[in-house]
Amino acid sequence: MTTGKPQLITKRKGDTLRLAPKSDLVASTVEAYRASMLKAVEAPGQAVVLDLSAIEQLDSLGITLVLGLFKSCQKGGVAFSIEGVKPDIVRVFKLFNLTKFFPVSEA
Amino acid sequence: MSSIVDESIISDFVAESREHLNRIEPDLLAMEQGGAALSQETLNRVFRAIHSIKGGAGFLAFESLKGLSHAMESVLMLVRDGKLGVGPELMDALFASMDRLRAMLDDIQASDQVPIAQELGKLSAILEGQGVEPGAQVKVQGKAEGGGKREFNLDAQEVASALSHGMNLFHAKAFLHRDIKDKGLTPLGFLTNALSVGQVLDAYIDPMEIVGLEACLEQDLAVTLLFGSVLEVDLAAMALKLPPAQVSMLDMKALRKQMKPAAAAKEVAAAPGPEAPAPAPETEEPAELQAAVPEAGRTAKGDNGPETLRVRVDLLTDLMNQAGELVLSRNQLLRALVERGRDIPGLASILQNINQVTSELQEGIMQTRMQPIGTVFNRFPRIIRDMSRQLGKQIEVQIKGAEVELDKSIVELLVDPLTHIIRNCADHAIETPEERKKARKNPSGQIILHAYHQGGQVIIAITDDGRGIDPKKVLTKALAKGLVKESQARDMSDREIVNLVFAPGFSTAEAVSDISGRGVGMDVVRSNTEKLGGHVELESQVGTGTTVVLRLPLTLAIIPSMIVGVSGHRFAIPQVNVVEFVWVRAAEVAKRIERVHGAEVLRLRDQLLPLIRLADVLGIQRSYLDPSTGERREDRRHELADRRAGESASVALESEPEPEPVPAKRGRKAKAAQPLPEAPPPQAARLQDRRTDWRSDYNIVVLRVGSNQFGVVVDELYDIEEIVVKPLSEFIQMCKSFSGATIMGDGRVIMILDAGGLVTQAHLHFTDLQAEEKLRHEEEKRKAAVAASRRRSVIVCTGAAGEYFAIPQDQILRLEKIQTSDIQRVGDREFVDYRGHGLPLVKLEQVIAVKPVAADLQEVFMIIPKVLERGTVALAKAGIVISDIIDALDVEVELEAATVNGPGILGAAILQHNLTLFLDPIDMLQGAGLLKGAEA
């Protein structure tokens, strides 16, 4: 499990915005992440990549947050994808049939 | 913390799927053989197994696994429904697919990387040939709330199968916050629960309900699922832990009708659809139901067999370790309290109870880990089937003793070695049908797998009737590869040579095939078997076949062991290795222990056993307890039969080896007894040789390693105890002499000896001994033959004082005492009156160069030899005079040429310490001119 303070690393490369949360997306952290994500996607560019390589857990709220981010991007016409996902979490996305909405690539 | 997807669900799924595959393998083989006359039950079993694998894989989102099992299921369904015949092509495709499934299960996380295109291709080709498009889908409209915003995408077959199992289909909605998070569940936990009460056919979250990042966390997203269960709607809601309002049942009747022509229909609009395509004739329904019956019967009533419960292996291992600790504690307790038994009333019976319960508990737990060897054996018919097709050979497999049980860990570790042996059998040993016909063998080869118990071990014998292993070829190869030296090779028996195939880096296959023969095979078999505390041997007869025998312990964890002591240290020897104990009394050491090629050997019955001293092998300073002081002192003797310098010279002399003749042996026995304590010389208390003290008796444990036996000399033998094996720490794992450690009842840690390791460590060579033994046997036989020819009964007598003669008894008819005064002289002949006749007498000195019998004797003896007259025994017409008769003896002697010459002398030998001349009386009388002709 990844512990530590919710910290969102944002990187911009060309038109792509890369968001990498440094700890798990769970009930205790989602609020903080939502705030930093909102800030980051004010200027999203052409594409947003959510880098989940540091994430080992994703609970109900975590899923909601990810979907919220996706929805915001979709509204803004920004491509959304998730990368660096641990196999277990990939399975969660697959189980809920979410992979048809956005690409999820494994770590 | 565990990850989101509970690992245990996946591992359960993998374990279950493996079991399914194992269970249906024989069924598939039966399918292949049974052809058209295949039983519906077999087909159903296969179908159900594949179906459950597909279900689980689908739920856990293992896409490849699901895809392939789905394709297999489609094919099997056609076979089951009689729409597709069983042919080799179909079976090959099924078998190949099954292997792929196995491969995927082996590393489930990487299952999507396993290439399945080929297998899928084959299956689709079969399906297309039947006009079925794989993956036909049924669309079921979600009818609740959202009103058909999204359709479930379902496999027609999945729905059909759910229906055929009598399930109802439900549409359920669960809110991520309310129904999942607030109830302390994870999204996956929710699905797991759903799976435990029914079948999750599909699940999704619709992100379209979310507005955006800003308010997302305040929104409660819904997970929608299509759920199949035999429960009614209100119970289903309860089982799913959802409010009843969020669960609704689909219109099952409509769905059932719609599913009928499923095979033909590609897309079917489900639920209230009045526009559903032409309903199938009702008559088809019974067939569908029929298929479901056995399943229902099975799950509801069970098989009448014992009920089983799935338990994690690590839990059992844990229990077994605990039981092991309990056994140790019990031993300690018993030891600590054994003397208090009388002080505390009732303690003895409590202890006895604890003792028994502990033993039973331990036994019971061991039982739980036992698995029939059949779980390994049963996979071989399949392997052989594939190989025989590939190699163009005909091979039959026979399995005996599949029910023999072994510890699970051993069974698992046996898979590789056994597979290797079987592959070798099929690839190298069994000939092609043509070759076999030429050799006048049945064109189809046999491989027999046989497991049985023997002496607390499990024996697995793998026998083939193939071409056998040619020791010459093996030896050539081994020499070429430098596995043996030529000097060693000369002493090796065929059996040993053949066993060289177990040497690392050996392979006799002329061509490397993709089946076996990579040259790493048999040594892996050996090392794996030895790792298990077992042994492997091979016997082969060129032209008739080969048998590989694995000897294995029943379990690895608790083993009865003999506790031995050497120089104050204790060691455990596993009882499976112990053949017997030999106690050699100190006084007998010189007689029972010999040297062959510079090594000590024990003569035990008819066998020569190499002997090692445990202290020497382990590098422990030998010591002994000084009988006078009770102190432990260093033992400086290096061989069992070493003489001690500076001590009683007479003792040393008396124990000197003596010549072999029989009478001498008697003498030695008497002498060996002399130095025993009964009659000690005055200063014996100090001077007495320690070798003859009872404390110097030798305790020899005879151990068996494979077919070889050897003796280990130890100082003390304690008791046989059940010990719990603790693995060796890494630092000392390299020590060959030890296989583990254990904790004794008194708390001390002792090492467990590895019999095989001791052999290696002591550089024992059994071949030398076998050769020596053979030699000795031959020598003994020869001696016995000679002895028989030499054995004679003789009358020992004297002539002049100090001169001894022996005359064969069978040549003597009468022995008469005569008075010297009765002897009459006529010319130079002497006569005596015998039964009214004058019987001429011969004096020895008249015929041979010996001294005359003293003239002053009052009486002498006369020997009348036996002659044959016209076929009947008669008295010779002359007698030989001797002075006295000493003894009648049975002797075995080798006559040497006598220094004295004359007629009638056979030779000379030492009899009872006297040089004795052996005489032939007839010859002698003839020499004296008293008998005519050579009658005897």
Side-chain angles (χ1 to χ4, degrees):
Chain A
M1 158 171 186
T2 315
T3 49
K5 275 188 194 160
Q7 191 193 354
L8 189 74
I9 312 282
T10 54
K11 260 190 207 162
R12 231 170 264 279
K13 197 178 175 187
D15 274 342
T16 306
L17 173 68
R18 218 180 160 79
L19 303 175
K22 281 285 151 208
S23 60
D24 291 343
L25 296 181
V26 289
S28 56
T29 61
V30 283
E31 293 285 356
Y33 278 123
R34 175 165 63 172
S36 19
M37 281 178 183
L38 276 171
K39 216 166 166 193
V41 295
E42 276 166 15
Q46 292 293 308
V48 170
V49 174
L50 181 61
D51 179 352
L52 292 187
S53 51
I55 305 297
E56 276 166 21
Q57 285 205 70
L58 190 69
D59 71 358
S60 300
L61 286 170
I63 292 176
T64 318
L65 180 68
V66 171
L67 291 178
L69 181 62
F70 158 68
K71 201 66 210 229
S72 289
C73 291
Q74 202 185 35
K75 275 198 292 189
V78 179
F80 176 76
S81 61
I82 308 184
E83 285 179 7
V85 191
K86 299 266 181 325
D88 286 347
I89 299 183
V90 172
R91 194 158 300 124
V92 174
F93 284 117
K94 282 187 182 168
L95 279 174
F96 290 110
N97 267 309
L98 294 170
T99 47
K100 62 183 66 164
F101 299 107
F102 43 81
V104 175
S105 46
E106 216 169 302
Chain B
M1 250 178 101
S2 66
S3 50
I4 285 185
V5 172
D6 193 347
E7 278 302 323
S8 74
I9 303 176
I10 297 177
S11 59
D12 278 357
F13 163 69
V14 170
E16 239 166 71
S17 306
R18 281 213 182 104
E19 270 171 36
H20 281 313
L21 291 181
N22 290 343
R23 211 173 306 138
I24 61 170
E25 192 156 275
D27 290 336
L28 281 179
L29 289 170
M31 261 173 85
E32 187 173 37
Q33 277 152 21
L38 194 58
S39 89
Q40 195 67 26
E41 178 52 26
T42 310
L43 277 174
N44 278 334
R45 232 178 357 242
V46 176
F47 178 79
R48 281 196 300 267
I50 297 294
H51 174 74
S52 358
I53 293 174
K54 187 197 71 175
F59 167 64
L60 292 166
F62 296 115
E63 293 302 333
S64 299
L65 195 58
K66 180 181 154 192
L68 186 58
S69 45
H70 175 62
M72 288 173 80
E73 189 189 15
S74 312
V75 171
L76 285 166
M77 189 133 102
L78 291 179
V79 178
R80 188 184 67 173
D81 297 347
K83 290 175 188 151
L84 190 60
V86 177
E89 218 174 281
L90 174 76
M91 291 317 296
D92 277 350
L94 284 176
F95 275 124
S97 307
M98 208 159 107
D99 289 342
R100 289 296 181 206
L101 292 185
R102 275 225 173 87
M104 288 191 241
L105 291 170
D106 283 345
D107 186 359
I108 190 75
Q109 298 296 354
S111 62
D112 286 351
Q113 263 99 65
V114 175
I116 54 167
Q118 208 186 333
E119 286 73 21
L120 270 180
K122 279 190 207 164
L123 292 172
S124 328
I126 292 168
L127 286 175
E128 272 157 26
Q130 296 296 313
V132 176
E133 192 182 290
Q137 294 200 325
V138 181
K139 293 207 169 173
V140 178
Q141 265 176 344
K143 69 166 188 178
E145 287 124 292
K149 260 189 198 161
R150 180 194 184 276
E151 286 172 331
F152 290 106
N153 285 320
L154 295 174
D155 286 334
Q157 275 144 26
E158 210 158 22
V159 175
S161 150
L163 293 179
S164 73
H165 284 76
M167 283 186 178
N168 295 319
L169 294 188
F170 302 96
H171 178 278
K173 216 164 196 178
F175 292 93
L176 276 177
H177 292 195
R178 227 183 309 151
D179 300 319
I180 299 178
K181 191 190 96 188
D182 292 350
K183 286 181 183 158
L185 290 170
T186 60
L188 195 88
F190 170 74
L191 284 182
T192 310
N193 174 56
L195 193 76
S196 67
V197 292
Q199 200 170 357
V200 177
L201 297 166
D202 196 14
Y204 69 89
I205 297 175
D206 189 356
M208 296 312 148
E209 291 171 18
I210 288 195
V211 185
L213 196 53
E214 300 82 6
C216 65
L217 293 180
E218 286 68 38
Q219 259 182 297
D220 201 352
L221 273 183
V223 176
T224 313
L225 55 146
L226 185 66
F227 176 71
S229 166
V230 287
L231 301 173
E232 290 303 315
V233 63
D234 47 345
L235 288 174
M238 204 186 283
L240 289 172
K241 299 179 184 162
L242 292 175
Q246 282 167 236
V247 181
S248 59
M249 202 198 290
L250 298 181
D251 184 346
M252 296 311 296
K253 257 193 197 151
L255 205 58
R256 234 179 263 269
K257 268 192 187 164
Q258 179 211 331
M259 288 310 297
K260 285 296 132 200
K266 299 213 171 140
E267 289 215 342
V268 182
E275 73 278 32
E282 289 295 320
T283 46
E284 267 190 38
E285 189 133 22
E288 195 72 51
L289 288 174
Q290 208 176 15
V293 168
E295 172 84 350
R298 199 174 264 255
T299 44
K301 287 183 205 149
D303 266 340
N304 282 343
E307 284 183 35
T308 56
L309 184 65
R310 194 182 295 274
V311 181
R312 289 203 320 276
V313 174
D314 57 348
L315 183 66
L316 286 181
T317 310
D318 210 38
L319 274 176
M320 182 138 93
N321 286 337
Q322 303 283 2
E325 296 295 334
L326 185 62
V327 169
L328 287 180
S329 304
R330 175 209 49 194
N331 293 351
Q332 289 175 358
L333 184 72
L334 290 182
R335 193 160 298 194
L337 290 180
V338 74
E339 276 149 27
R340 301 285 187 86
R342 276 194 218 108
D343 304 346
I344 306 167
L347 181 65
S349 63
I350 297 173
L351 286 182
Q352 202 175 9
N353 203 13
I354 289 181
N355 191 1
Q356 188 174 348
V357 171
T358 308
S359 301
E360 278 168 15
L361 181 69
Q362 182 209 334
E363 219 167 279
I365 291 174
M366 303 263 288
Q367 281 295 324
T368 62
R369 286 182 50 94
M370 296 303 246
Q371 270 195 328
I373 188 74
T375 53
V376 182
F377 278 5
N378 288 340
R379 67 178 66 194
F380 294 129
R382 164 69 202 287
I383 290 176
I384 294 303
R385 170 209 173 262
D386 287 2
M387 285 184 70
S388 43
R389 286 191 68 150
Q390 211 173 326
L391 297 164
K393 297 179 181 179
Q394 294 171 21
I395 308 173
E396 281 167 26
V397 185
Q398 269 188 51
I399 292 177
K400 295 182 193 165
E403 72 288 346
V404 170
E405 287 190 326
L406 276 166
D407 191 88
K408 181 179 165 62
S409 51
I410 298 181
V411 172
E412 279 165 5
L413 287 169
L414 272 178
V415 174
D416 285 351
L418 285 181
T419 311
H420 216 100
I421 295 170
I422 292 284
R423 283 171 173 267
N424 264 320
C425 285
D427 196 14
H428 302 317
I430 304 282
E431 311 91 330
T432 59
E434 298 78 56
E435 282 176 296
R436 291 184 68 89
K437 267 180 216 155
K438 253 183 232 168
R440 299 192 177 179
K441 288 180 177 180
N442 186 333
S444 111
Q446 289 263 345
I447 297 176
I448 302 167
L449 292 157
H450 189 189
Y452 54 97
H453 288 274
Q454 191 183 71
Q457 285 180 304
V458 170
I459 316 284
I460 299 175
I462 301 107
T463 308
D464 67 63
D465 65 347
R467 54 170 71 98
I469 300 175
D470 186 352
K472 279 183 218 130
K473 270 193 188 173
V474 172
L475 190 59
T476 318
K477 191 110 178 178
L479 287 171
K481 296 211 167 190
L483 298 173
V484 282
K485 289 193 201 109
E486 261 180 74
S487 55
Q488 289 172 293
R490 249 177 276 131
D491 300 335
M492 290 177 88
S493 63
D494 277 2
R495 191 190 161 98
E496 276 182 300
I497 291 170
V498 168
N499 276 284
L500 280 175
V501 299
F502 292 115
F506 190 93
S507 168
T508 50
E510 267 131 41
V512 169
S513 71
D514 71 331
I515 289 168
S516 55
R518 279 169 296 273
V520 290
M522 294 304 267
D523 70 306
V524 174
V525 171
R526 177 161 76 178
S527 61
N528 277 10
T529 319
E530 283 177 358
K531 233 182 272 167
L532 294 171
H535 268 278
V536 60
E537 286 172 86
L538 191 146
E539 262 176 68
S540 189
Q541 195 84 47
V542 177
T544 33
T546 306
T547 301
V548 182
V549 178
L550 302 173
R551 290 171 185 276
L552 297 159
L554 282 171
T555 175
L556 298 177
I558 299 181
I559 50 174
S561 293
M562 179 72 211
I563 311 296
V564 299
V566 57
S567 292
H569 301 270
R570 287 184 190 197
F571 297 95
I573 303 176
Q575 219 182 350
V576 288
N577 296 115
V578 178
V579 182
E580 63 184 309
F581 306 115
V582 179
W583 174 47
V584 179
R585 275 188 296 144
E588 288 182 341
V589 166
K591 200 167 76 192
R592 308 248 337 239
I593 293 168
E594 307 173 30
R595 296 188 73 84
V596 172
H597 301 303
E600 285 172 321
V601 296
L602 168 71
R603 173 164 283 282
L604 181 62
R605 292 181 285 277
D606 268 348
Q607 251 191 313
L608 288 179
L609 299 180
L611 215 48
I612 57 176
R613 282 188 160 251
L614 193 54
D616 291 355
V617 175
L618 300 179
I620 298 171
Q621 177 65 52
R622 278 191 215 166
S623 65
Y624 66 96
L625 282 178
D626 191 313
S628 51
T629 60
E631 281 170 22
R632 188 161 282 285
R633 284 165 55 172
E634 186 187 326
D635 185 352
R636 288 184 302 275
R637 287 178 306 157
H638 285 285
E639 277 165 27
L640 298 176
D642 261 3
R643 319 279 164 224
R644 300 209 73 189
E647 287 198 0
S648 161
S650 68
V651 172
L653 255 180
E654 278 156 0
S655 308
E656 212 55 61
E658 293 180 33
E660 276 301 297
V662 174
K665 209 168 163 188
R666 267 189 219 157
R668 184 163 72 175
K669 225 182 213 168
K671 280 176 191 168
Q674 270 176 22
L676 283 176
E678 299 104 68
Q683 74 278 52
R686 205 170 50 77
L687 278 184
Q688 192 191 343
D689 191 337
R690 215 174 66 232
R691 283 174 297 125
T692 54
D693 186 272
W694 62 270
R695 276 161 286 227
S696 295
D697 289 354
Y698 287 99
N699 295 313
I700 297 170
V701 186
V702 180
L703 300 184
R704 176 181 51 215
V705 175
S707 59
N708 296 319
Q709 299 192 350
F710 64 101
V712 179
V713 181
V714 298
D715 292 349
E716 270 149 304
L717 297 172
Y718 293 100
D719 201 359
I720 290 171
E721 288 192 26
E722 301 253 296
I723 59 164
V724 179
V725 181
K726 303 279 175 193
L728 286 182
S729 115
E730 266 176 54
F731 306 111
I732 45 174
Q733 251 170 12
M734 296 307 292
C735 296
K736 285 193 184 124
S737 312
F738 306 119
S739 60
T742 189
I743 303 166
M744 300 293 295
D746 58 9
R748 74 171 107 173
V749 176
I750 66 168
M751 306 298 283
I752 302 166
L753 294 174
D754 179 339
L758 287 179
V759 171
T760 323
Q761 190 84 3
H763 307 292
L764 283 185
H765 294 294
F766 294 99
T767 30
D768 293 358
L769 272 185
Q770 279 156 7
E772 175 74 18
E773 218 164 307
K774 212 168 152 191
L775 217 73
R776 287 193 182 199
H777 273 303
E778 279 165 14
E779 178 73 3
E780 264 164 35
K781 253 193 221 161
R782 200 178 59 79
K783 272 189 184 162
V786 172
S789 75
R790 264 193 240 136
R791 189 182 303 263
R792 42 194 112 200
S793 304
V794 292
I795 300 288
V796 183
C797 50
T798 52
E803 288 186 348
Y804 296 88
F805 304 93
I807 301 166
Q809 270 181 19
D810 54 2
Q811 288 182 295
I812 298 175
L813 200 57
R814 305 284 303 175
L815 274 172
E816 299 282 351
K817 196 188 274 183
I818 50 173
Q819 305 295 317
T820 36
S821 52
D822 290 346
I823 298 175
Q824 300 161 23
R825 279 190 87 87
V826 177
D828 56 352
R829 290 268 181 222
E830 285 175 316
F831 294 86
V832 71
D833 183 33
Y834 182 66
R835 297 185 185 177
H837 294 282
L839 190 72
L841 292 178
V842 174
K843 284 190 173 163
L844 292 171
E845 66 268 20
Q846 294 174 328
V847 192
I848 51 179
V850 292
K851 281 184 266 176
V853 173
D856 54 348
L857 287 175
Q858 291 289 308
E859 31 171 64
V860 291
F861 291 86
M862 171 179 71
I863 293 170
I864 306 176
K866 186 195 307 182
V867 290
L868 286 174
E869 267 176 20
R870 282 174 236 113
T872 55
V873 174
L875 288 171
K877 298 211 166 47
I880 299 167
V881 178
I882 52 167
S883 61
D884 201 359
I885 291 168
I886 296 172
D887 209 347
L889 288 179
D890 284 351
V891 292
E892 264 174 49
V893 286
E894 188 141 14
L895 294 180
E896 285 160 27
T899 44
V900 206
N901 284 318
I905 296 182
L906 294 170
I910 304 283
L911 278 192
Q912 292 174 334
H913 314 293
N914 298 315
L915 183 74
T916 308
L917 277 180
F918 282 68
L919 304 177
D920 182 336
I922 307 290
D923 249 18
M924 185 168 265
L925 293 181
Q926 281 172 348
L930 288 172
L931 276 183
K932 281 172 206 136
E935 281 184 281

